[in-house]
Amino acid sequence: LVLCMKNMGPGTSTDKIIRSGASHFRVSEPLGNPSIDLNAYDNIILVGGGVGITPLIGCLNNMAYARPNTTFHLAWSIRDLCLVGMLSEEITELSGLGNVTLTIYYTGKEETAREMRAFPLNVQLEYARPNMAAVLSGSQAMAGGGPSGPTAVFVCGPKGLVDSVTTAASSRPFLTLHVETFEL
């Protein structure tokens, strides 16, 4: 079981949990459902920012093995290397599947970029913020030079990332967009 939790600052509920050193948690099945039926799509583009990877990794784990004829592309923007370390096993397994491509966009400190290269992951590494128009176009090209069937985009992350994906997807009517957010 992997539990990802980001400390959202002093006095927050996540800060209290992390400071308490809690090692017991109640875990349930996922309670939400995407607004779209991902099973209806031949191509699925997943875009995450930071801990927004959480529902995307779950989606990939549930669907990529069961749907070998579906093309999946995960674009993950991070600035904290610890997130990659926590999910390296899942990323390594998923990147070994023929129907999954992964790109990690590292936006953290320049001096820690060397550490990023040390992770033995079969992923494309970019040391810049993702250009969402290019991500959506590139993912479509990987799916066969254009929409080779219905394509869904599933995004989860900070507002700026979600807004850039929403803007890029709006000029591509063949894409169906689903947005997840952790903001209350």
Side-chain angles (χ1 to χ4, degrees):
L1 175 67
V2 176
L3 177 66
C4 296
M5 186 180 307
K6 180 178 180 179
N7 189 331
M8 298 306 290
T12 63
S13 59
T14 54
D15 182 54
K16 292 174 187 172
I17 291 169
I18 291 168
R19 286 175 175 266
S20 75
S23 61
H24 292 82
F25 297 92
R26 178 179 291 161
V27 179
S28 70
E29 74 279 351
L31 300 175
N33 288 315
S35 60
I36 57 177
D37 178 9
L38 294 174
N39 290 308
Y41 296 88
D42 296 333
N43 309 292
I44 301 175
I45 303 167
L46 305 131
V47 181
V51 296
I53 190 73
T54 308
L56 307 180
I57 285 289
C59 175
L60 272 174
N61 276 326
N62 288 332
M63 298 184 78
Y65 293 97
R67 299 189 55 204
N69 295 324
T70 299
T71 301
F72 295 89
H73 178 70
L74 172 65
W76 184 24
S77 180
I78 61 163
R79 64 177 173 220
D80 298 321
L81 286 178
C82 66
L83 294 174
V84 175
M86 288 189 306
L87 295 172
S88 62
E89 187 176 312
E90 288 85 355
I91 292 169
T92 300
E93 288 177 17
L94 289 166
S95 67
L97 298 177
N99 61 333
V100 177
T101 58
L102 296 104
T103 305
I104 296 177
Y105 295 87
Y106 179 65
T107 62
K109 296 178 182 176
E110 182 83 23
E111 58 270 13
T112 57
R114 288 185 305 275
E115 295 174 41
M116 189 70 180
R117 291 183 194 98
F119 284 101
L121 304 173
N122 182 23
V123 300
Q124 180 177 343
L125 295 175
E126 300 286 340
Y127 299 96
R129 292 190 182 281
N131 173 327
M132 285 307 144
V135 168
L136 298 184
S137 295
S139 298
Q140 280 297 299
M142 283 185 249
S148 59
T151 301
V153 178
F154 185 170
V155 60
C156 184
K159 184 179 182 338
L161 177 76
V162 170
D163 289 348
S164 67
V165 172
T166 301
T167 299
S170 68
S171 63
R172 293 164 174 78
F174 51 85
L175 297 177
T176 302
L177 179 65
H178 171 73
V179 174
E180 284 277 323
T181 181
F182 292 126
E183 296 178 14
L184 300 175

